Amino acid sequence: MYSYTTINTNMREILNFISENPEYVAMFFVVVNACWIAFVYFNKKHHEKELVKLRQSFDLDLERRKKVFEMKANQYELYFKLIDEIHNRHQTDYEKVFLPIMNEFMSSYLTAATQNDIGAETKATIRFSEKISKITIDGFKELNTIQSETNSLRLLASDEVAKLLGEIEELYRQLFELSGNMMSNLIKIDVNNDQELAEKNKNSMMKIGKILEDKVSQLRHQMRIDLKQI
């Protein structure tokens, strides 16, 4: 331990050195202050650079998330627009499409049958088949459109959304096949007045339609969740 006398002696020596060499002391303080200022300056610059990098990274992430959100939202909107268009287009199919074709066929066929005109019967059947074939081809196009849109959405959708998209695509495929079977049975139903077959087809269509409606509702909900999590 230093004694009080020793400390006093050291202090006097320091004071004497300062009084005898003021220029060295001043230079020492200048250098120390300069070093301190330089440290503060460069440390500040380093933090500023880090903040700029962080801000840029944050801005880039926000921009990326914004673009992903917009892309998904647009794709989801286009998908439901497609579904709504198909639904609206086929809401009145029976009254505006199938019934006129069926009435025309029955009128021509029954007239030919009454006159025992085999050629006219065949002509009426061929004409009916051609119109049904056109409807079937249009249905194929719609199904392909749904499949194409579904495949595009799978690339950016969440697992839950992708799963529902696949289930909905399969339901539309089943509806398309059932619709084809119903059209094939139209002649049999009307000519033979097979109400049991007509009721069976109707119930099958309604059953699939109800499941489809439920799945589409689930899809809307999952898509909203997917967008919120971006």
Side-chain angles (χ1 to χ4, degrees), residues 51-67:
L51 285 173
V52 169
K53 289 180 182 178
L54 183 62
R55 188 179 296 112
Q56 288 175 342
S57 174
F58 186 68
D59 290 343
L60 286 173
D61 185 59
L62 282 179
E63 187 65 24
R64 180 192 65 79
R65 291 169 63 185
K66 178 183 176 184
K67 288 181 178 179

Side-chain angles (χ1 to χ4, degrees), residues 8-207:
N8 265 344
T9 301
N10 290 339
M11 288 296 295
R12 280 197 299 271
E13 289 176 356
I14 292 171
L15 290 173
N16 288 336
F17 178 80
I18 292 172
S19 60
E20 293 172 2
N21 303 281
E23 66 280 5
Y24 291 112
V25 175
M27 182 63 67
F28 172 76
F29 280 108
V30 168
V31 171
V32 170
N33 285 334
C35 290
W36 177 250
I37 291 171
F39 171 76
V40 172
Y41 174 79
F42 288 112
N43 192 54
K44 179 183 177 183
K45 287 295 181 182
H46 173 74
H47 282 292
E48 286 178 349
K49 287 181 180 179
E50 290 299 319
L51 285 173
V52 169
K53 289 180 182 178
L54 183 62
R55 188 179 296 112
Q56 288 175 342
S57 174
F58 186 68
D59 290 343
L60 286 173
D61 185 59
L62 282 179
E63 187 65 24
R64 180 192 65 79
R65 291 169 63 185
K66 178 183 176 184
K67 288 181 178 179
V68 170
F69 179 90
E70 290 176 349
M71 180 176 64
K72 280 193 173 186
N74 288 336
Q75 288 289 92
Y76 289 168
E77 183 180 355
L78 287 174
Y79 178 83
F80 277 110
K81 184 178 180 182
L82 170 66
I83 296 300
D84 289 341
E85 286 176 352
I86 291 175
H87 175 74
N88 293 333
R89 188 158 55 241
H90 295 296
Q91 262 190 324
T92 56
D93 270 358
Y94 182 76
E95 294 84 1
K96 293 185 177 180
V97 180
F98 295 126
L99 198 57
I101 293 174
M102 200 66 231
N103 288 340
E104 179 191 358
F105 166 74
M106 290 302 297
S107 176
S108 301
Y109 186 86
L110 290 175
T111 299
T114 301
Q115 298 173 356
N116 200 25
D117 188 340
I118 303 298
E121 289 180 6
T122 302
K123 185 177 180 180
T125 303
I126 292 173
R127 182 174 174 78
F128 173 81
S129 297
E130 287 175 347
K131 290 189 175 184
I132 293 300
S133 294
K134 183 180 182 305
I135 294 173
T136 302
I137 291 171
D138 291 340
F140 265 123
K141 290 179 181 178
E142 285 186 343
L143 186 61
N144 287 336
T145 301
I146 291 172
Q147 290 172 338
S148 177
E149 193 66 26
T150 298
N151 289 335
S152 297
L153 283 179
R154 280 197 183 106
L155 296 175
L156 53 86
S158 66
D159 291 342
E160 292 80 4
V161 170
K163 180 175 179 293
L164 285 167
L165 285 169
E167 292 174 354
I168 289 172
E169 178 186 351
E170 172 60 20
L171 287 168
Y172 271 110
R173 187 191 64 76
Q174 291 179 22
L175 277 177
F176 175 77
E177 290 182 355
L178 181 58
S179 178
N181 291 333
M182 288 178 68
M183 287 186 289
S184 298
N185 292 331
L186 281 176
I187 294 178
K188 181 180 178 181
I189 291 171
D190 277 359
V191 171
N192 299 327
N193 193 28
D194 192 342
Q195 294 303 314
E196 182 179 349
L197 180 58
E199 190 67 19
K200 180 182 177 182
N201 287 338
K202 176 184 174 183
N203 290 337
S204 297
M205 186 71 77
M206 289 180 64
K207 180 181 178 181

Side-chain angles (χ1 to χ4, degrees), residues 203-216:
N203 290 337
S204 297
M205 186 71 77
M206 289 180 64
K207 180 181 178 181
I208 297 176
K210 183 67 178 68
I211 297 173
L212 180 60
E213 182 182 356
D214 182 58
K215 291 295 180 182
V216 169

